């Protein structure tokens, strides 16, 4: 157990629907990162939050949004889902959100299947 | 733009057959290069951080090395339990840039 908790583990939904993925960071970590992993693209950075504020943004679609709450858990909202959004979504956390010598601690991921 | 290219995409080894995985990177000032291991259905797990050319780190049968343009993950006398996908990532020293990952090398070690 890495200490980063992601729920749900699996999600199957229809095109056009909206889902919310949840992440609780490792105790003491202030920064949360969201990554998308597909077979052909590898791990793609979506967005980073640090202590409740957006810190960095990657190639995140406008249909996707995220937030980090005062208790530091984070949610990734995916709307108007398309077949191509099917992927593994990982949350990771780190202590400072700057440079951390041990990189990020990853959760086990949420497997999203859009049908 | 920071880029990481890993080769080969997949590697199949007999138990005890040593080999190396390659990670080529382009980054505007390297702050750190990371190696992770990922098992099927799980999140990446941290292995090593390398900071400057010439540096080496070891853990059991794994040794990571770093040059100015590449990193190698050497696997000595691998065992079936070393089978996994190995990911390389870089973090730039310019601004607040998150880790950029390569697509990984899928290693299979056959008994």
């Amino acid at each position: 157990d890495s200490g980063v908790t992601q729920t749900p583990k699996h999600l199957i939904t229809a095109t056009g629907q909206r889902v919310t993925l949840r992440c609780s960071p490792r105790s003491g970590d202030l920064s949360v990162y969201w990554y998308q992993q597909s077979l052909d693209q590898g791990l793609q950075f979506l967005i980073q939050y640090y202590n409740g504020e957006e810190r960095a943004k990657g190639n995140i679609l406008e249909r996707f949004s995220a937030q980090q709450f005062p208790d530091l858990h984070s949610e990734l909202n995916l709307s108007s889902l398309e077949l191509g959004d099917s992927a593994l979504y990982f949350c990771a956390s780190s202590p400072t959100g700057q440079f951390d010598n041990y990189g990020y601690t990853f959760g086990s991921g949420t497997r999203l299947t859009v049908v | 733009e920071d880029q990481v290219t890993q080769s080969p995409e997949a590697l199949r080894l007999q138990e005890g057959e040593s080999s190396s995985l390659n990670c080529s990177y382009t980054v505007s000032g390297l702050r750190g290069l990371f190696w992770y291991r990922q098992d099927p259905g799980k999140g990446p797990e941290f292995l090593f951080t390398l900071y400057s050319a010439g540096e080496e780190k070891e853990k059991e049968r794994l040794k990571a090395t770093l040059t100015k343009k590449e990193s190698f993950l050497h696997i000595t006398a691998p065992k079936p339990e070393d089978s996994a996908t190995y990911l390389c990532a870089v973090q730039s020293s310019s601004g607040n840039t998150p880790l950029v990952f390569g697509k990984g090398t899928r290693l299979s070690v056959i008994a």
Side-chain angles (χ1 to χ4, degrees):
Chain A
D1 181 9
S2 68
V4 177
T5 303
Q6 288 189 249
T7 57
K9 291 193 185 305
H10 303 278
L11 202 48
I12 301 175
T13 189
T15 54
Q17 295 298 304
R18 172 190 164 97
V19 296
T20 297
L21 312 184
R22 183 187 167 103
C23 169
S24 294
R26 192 179 58 164
S27 178
D29 287 355
L30 298 179
S31 194
V32 168
Y33 309 80
W34 287 98
Y35 281 81
Q36 180 191 58
Q37 187 176 44
S38 57
L39 282 174
D40 56 341
Q41 291 296 319
L43 272 168
Q44 297 289 309
F45 169 68
L46 296 177
I47 197 163
Q48 176 197 1
Y49 280 83
Y50 175 77
N51 205 21
E53 294 192 2
E54 183 181 304
R55 174 69 69 87
K57 215 168 187 176
N59 297 323
I60 187 168
L61 299 172
E62 284 192 13
R63 302 183 285 109
F64 295 1
S65 64
Q67 54 184 326
Q68 186 180 28
F69 296 86
D71 67 352
L72 301 179
H73 92 270
S74 178
E75 292 181 357
L76 179 67
N77 299 297
L78 314 176
S79 62
S80 303
L81 285 166
E82 302 175 358
L83 295 178
D85 297 327
S86 296
L88 266 169
Y89 291 83
F90 284 103
C91 169
S93 70
S94 71
T96 70
Q98 297 284 348
F99 181 82
D100 292 299
N101 289 319
Y102 298 101
Y104 307 159
T105 302
F106 282 81
S108 296
T110 293
R111 181 175 295 280
L112 173 67
T113 303
V114 182
V115 297
Chain B
E1 183 182 328
D2 302 339
Q3 287 190 336
V4 178
T5 303
Q6 292 189 246
S7 62
E9 288 186 16
L11 182 63
R12 187 180 171 99
L13 299 174
Q14 290 293 126
E15 185 173 2
E17 180 187 2
S18 302
S19 188
S20 296
L21 313 183
N22 176 265
C23 169
S24 298
Y25 64 90
T26 304
V27 66
S28 53
L30 180 69
R31 191 95 183 260
L33 184 141
F34 300 83
W35 282 97
Y36 284 83
R37 169 188 171 129
Q38 185 175 19
D39 292 300
K42 296 190 175 182
E45 183 181 329
F46 171 81
L47 290 173
F48 304 108
T49 309
L50 300 167
Y51 300 94
S52 57
E55 189 174 2
E56 298 183 354
K57 291 216 174 146
E58 285 188 65
K59 180 179 179 179
E60 296 180 358
R61 295 176 292 282
L62 301 177
K63 182 168 83 171
T65 62
L66 181 64
T67 72
K68 287 188 177 179
K69 293 185 177 180
E70 293 176 306
S71 178
F72 294 92
L73 185 65
H74 307 278
I75 304 177
T76 302
K79 297 182 178 182
E81 52 261 42
D82 295 321
S83 298
T85 295
Y86 291 86
L87 299 169
C88 173
V90 296
Q91 188 158 23
S92 165
S93 58
S94 61
N96 180 45
T97 54
L99 293 184
V100 175
F101 283 83
K103 294 185 180 180
T105 293
R106 190 171 63 256
L107 175 67
S108 300
V109 182
I110 312 302

